[in-house]
Amino acid sequence: MTRDEDRNLVEEVAAVVPHPARPPAPVTDGDRHGMRSAINFYSELDGMIADARLLSDYAVAINDDGTRRVKNPQMLAVSHRMRATNLALALKHSEMVWSVERLEQMHDAITGAILQADRETGERVFAALKEVCGRWSL
C-alpha cells in the first residue's frame, strides 16, 4: 500500500509541478554544509535504531531463569519492521557513498591519464574541463 501511495504521490506531483526550463543549479559547498548540518544521517539513524531496540525491549520479558519470552507480539513485529527499515536505509546510504567514492576514483584516474599526455594536450583538456565546470557551476 505504501509503494502504491508513493507512486500516486509522485504522479500527482509530476502532473502539478512543471518541468523547469533549464536544470536547477548544482549544489554549492555552502548548500552541502547547510544540508549536512540540517540532517545528520548517522545521528538520525542511531536514534531510529535506539527506538526500535526500545520497542523490542518493551515487547520481550526476561524470565527469572534468564530466558526471554514475548509479552507483546505486535510490538515485537513493529520493532522488527523498524529494524528492517533502518537496515535498508543504511544499505542505501552505503551504496550511494560507494558510488561517489567510485566516481572520485574514476575522476582521479582520468586526471592521471591526462597528466601523462603531452603538456599541450593536457592544457587543452584541462581548459575544456574548466569551461564545463564553469557552465555547471561545479
Side-chain angles (χ1 to χ4, degrees):
M1 283 177 42
T2 301
R3 286 187 184 141
D4 290 339
E5 289 300 316
D6 287 346
R7 190 174 15 265
N8 293 341
L9 179 62
V10 168
E11 291 169 0
E12 182 181 326
V13 169
V16 174
V17 177
H19 279 297
R22 59 188 172 94
V27 177
T28 65
D29 286 340
D31 295 333
R32 282 188 193 92
H33 177 70
M35 285 186 284
R36 292 193 102 184
S37 64
I39 298 174
N40 182 331
F41 176 81
Y42 290 108
S43 175
E44 292 296 322
L45 184 63
D46 288 344
M48 292 189 313
I49 290 169
D51 291 345
R53 278 199 187 110
L54 187 62
L55 282 179
S56 178
D57 291 344
Y58 175 79
V60 175
I62 307 295
N63 295 326
D64 292 336
D65 63 357
T67 58
R68 297 174 54 196
R69 68 177 172 82
V70 176
K71 70 176 183 182
N72 189 331
Q74 290 176 331
M75 197 61 66
L76 187 60
V78 168
S79 168
H80 285 207
R81 282 194 298 273
M82 289 172 66
R83 290 170 131 175
T85 299
N86 293 337
L87 289 171
L89 282 172
L91 181 61
K92 283 181 184 179
H93 185 268
S94 295
E95 288 172 347
M96 188 266 314
V97 169
W98 183 86
S99 296
V100 169
E101 287 174 355
R102 294 285 293 166
L103 185 61
E104 288 174 347
Q105 290 171 355
M106 183 184 75
H107 180 269
D108 291 345
I110 290 170
T111 303
I114 292 170
L115 291 173
Q116 290 177 359
D118 65 278
R119 181 182 173 104
E120 184 181 312
T121 302
E123 288 175 357
R124 283 197 327 263
V125 170
F126 282 118
L129 287 173
K130 187 175 182 179
E131 184 205 334
V132 169
C133 288
R135 274 187 290 169
W136 285 86
S137 300
L138 297 176

